[in-house]
Amino acid sequence: MATATEEPRLLGSALAAEDAGEIDGAVGEQGLPRGDDDDEEILRFMDSVDGYLHLMDSLSSTLRQGWLDLASARHSMGPTRVSSTLLDHKEQSAATKLQVVDHAGLQLSESKPHFALSKWSLQEECYSTCNAGEQASSEPNLRHRGSATTPEDGNHERDATKAGSSTGSDTSSHVQRARSKALSVFGALVSPKLRTAQISFETALELILELANSRSSMLASFSQLKE
Amino acid sequence: MAGRANIPTNSSALIAIIADEDTVTGFLLAGVGNVDLRKKTNYLIVDNKTTVRQIEDAFKEFTTREDIAIVLISQYVANMIRFLVDGYNKPVPAILEIPSKDHPYDPAHDSVLSRVKYLFSAESVASDRR
């Protein structure tokens, strides 16, 4: 989608609407008062669309790395050792889950779910963006986000530091045990590439979480603009 | 309020996946795989033997389960059931179309972006209608 070229059209049509109905700058089209809220909502919407596309680009890169590592692992371990036929169909609970909180939008008619990730059954891994205040501050950051794996961005590294500081080595050893358990499906000794694939897909999960929140924000702004 | 979907706060929700083998395997390595007492999984591996009916059934099942908050679906798989995906409009579970190895992400086909694209230009709406 050529949002770069389509962006001016949205703003242009907004400006045209202003020219059509404005009398003294305080009245919009059809004589209705033009609120700053509308401009804010439009900006919020455009930011969330921009953020969504950037995140999707980052996700594509991260997934490509994960697929490449998986293919390398399959090459070194053999195709029968890295295969979906090995997947365990015994009863098991997911180690990585989500938390969903409903952050109602400005109007009660909006629903705006907010998702948080709980990796490897660690409650401490829940992002502090579960709070509405931090969620609002995270949205502008989306515009400046490059690769999610850059150190200065470092969400997953910050999480690792937060988790590590809360319960020290216990948490990191818990995470390592959980990771090893997930890898053990493919045997006791696995290729290092399989481990890096695991890290890549963990990073992809974090990006997916941000995508879900960005989607939620986009749809909430869209509903508001439609009204 | 009328029109507002009730989103139950869920502290332990799953991520469902409908994708090719490598994508599903990768995400299972990241710990999202779940198998319940009835041996029902939260993922479907799509290969050349998977029928459209199976994909539709999996999509309908995942979007109606209360313990699933996000459904990841490869975009090329979503294209096979496009009418179902585009017709879905609940906030939870969130449907996210993701790229696959052989099919890069195309924003023009994304159901979320398709829903909001008419806001970008009146001309684009008019050209779609021609």
Side-chain angles (χ1 to χ4, degrees):
Chain A
M1 172 178 282
T3 52
T5 55
E6 287 178 344
E7 255 186 59
R9 289 189 194 172
L10 173 62
L11 300 175
S13 60
L15 287 171
E18 287 177 24
D19 291 342
E22 215 166 83
I23 300 172
D24 58 359
V27 180
E29 200 171 308
Q30 297 174 352
L32 293 172
R34 182 175 65 84
D36 290 333
D37 290 344
D38 286 343
D39 292 339
E40 268 184 44
E41 204 55 54
I42 290 171
L43 280 173
R44 199 174 294 138
F45 172 74
M46 298 300 290
D47 275 349
S48 55
V49 172
D50 184 55
Y52 186 89
L53 290 170
H54 276 293
L55 284 167
M56 196 54 86
D57 195 48
S58 298
L59 178 66
S60 296
S61 303
T62 307
L63 285 175
R64 265 199 301 274
Q65 186 60 46
W67 292 321
L68 185 62
D69 291 335
L70 210 53
S72 301
R74 189 175 283 126
H75 178 73
S76 62
M77 292 168 63
T80 53
R81 282 197 60 198
V82 183
S83 163
S84 60
T85 53
L86 298 171
L87 294 175
D88 203 349
H89 286 271
K90 287 192 301 192
E91 186 202 342
Q92 56 182 300
S93 180
T96 297
K97 289 186 178 175
L98 293 172
Q99 295 170 11
V100 185
V101 175
D102 184 15
H103 284 256
L106 293 173
Q107 299 183 11
L108 288 176
S109 58
E110 291 173 33
S111 294
K112 196 172 174 185
H114 185 79
F115 303 89
L117 192 63
S118 177
K119 282 164 65 173
W120 303 117
S121 307
L122 283 174
Q123 285 302 113
E124 292 84 3
E125 289 280 353
C126 172
Y127 284 116
S128 58
T129 51
C130 283
N131 298 324
E134 289 217 35
Q135 180 202 4
S137 66
S138 70
E139 290 184 280
N141 291 339
L142 288 172
R143 299 194 71 194
H144 303 290
R145 184 176 294 281
S147 164
T149 56
T150 54
E152 56 267 23
D153 192 29
N155 262 344
H156 58 283
E157 289 180 358
R158 192 164 62 229
D159 284 340
T161 308
K162 215 188 295 181
S165 63
S166 59
T167 55
S169 57
D170 290 343
T171 305
S172 56
S173 65
H174 169 85
V175 169
Q176 288 309 318
R177 277 199 303 273
R179 285 188 176 133
S180 298
K181 190 179 171 193
L183 286 168
S184 65
V185 170
F186 301 101
L189 288 174
V190 296
S191 162
K193 283 294 182 184
L194 202 60
R195 296 181 192 276
T196 54
Q198 186 178 48
I199 301 294
S200 293
F201 279 96
E202 279 185 44
T203 307
L205 274 182
E206 291 163 14
L207 288 168
I208 278 160
L209 184 78
E210 292 185 47
L211 271 166
N213 288 326
S214 180
R215 172 190 182 272
S216 171
S217 173
M218 191 179 5
L219 291 175
S221 298
F222 175 68
S223 311
Q224 183 116 6
L225 286 170
K226 260 200 331 182
E227 287 166 14
Chain B
M1 276 288 181
R4 181 172 185 262
N6 286 326
I7 301 171
T9 298
N10 193 337
S11 60
S12 180
L14 302 172
I15 300 173
I17 311 161
I18 305 174
D20 55 270
E21 179 180 354
D22 276 5
T23 306
V24 171
T25 303
F27 282 117
L28 294 189
L29 278 174
V32 301
N34 191 83
V35 183
D36 66 9
L37 282 169
R38 291 170 293 173
K39 305 274 192 237
K40 285 175 87 171
T41 61
N42 62 330
Y43 56 88
L44 172 71
I45 295 175
V46 177
D47 56 22
N48 49 15
K49 296 192 191 93
T50 311
T51 62
V52 173
R53 183 60 188 268
Q54 285 174 301
I55 297 169
E56 282 175 14
D57 290 345
F59 182 83
K60 285 175 189 167
E61 184 205 328
F62 293 155
T63 51
T64 49
R65 275 173 62 170
E66 288 183 359
D67 59 344
I68 289 176
I70 293 178
V71 178
L72 301 179
I73 180 167
S74 291
Q75 195 173 49
Y76 83 97
V77 177
N79 287 339
M80 296 181 199
I81 55 167
R82 182 51 66 195
F83 65 99
L84 262 187
V85 175
D86 283 354
Y88 177 86
N89 57 6
K90 294 183 204 163
V92 176
I95 310 297
L96 292 176
E97 297 181 32
I98 60 174
S100 62
K101 276 189 312 188
D102 304 321
H103 301 86
Y105 173 73
D106 182 2
H109 287 127
D110 190 309
S111 61
V112 174
L113 294 176
S114 300
R115 217 188 300 177
V116 304
K117 73 177 179 183
Y118 90 90
L119 272 185
F120 288 103
S121 166
E123 287 91 11
S124 67
V125 173
S127 63
D128 285 349
R129 285 179 183 162
R130 281 188 214 115

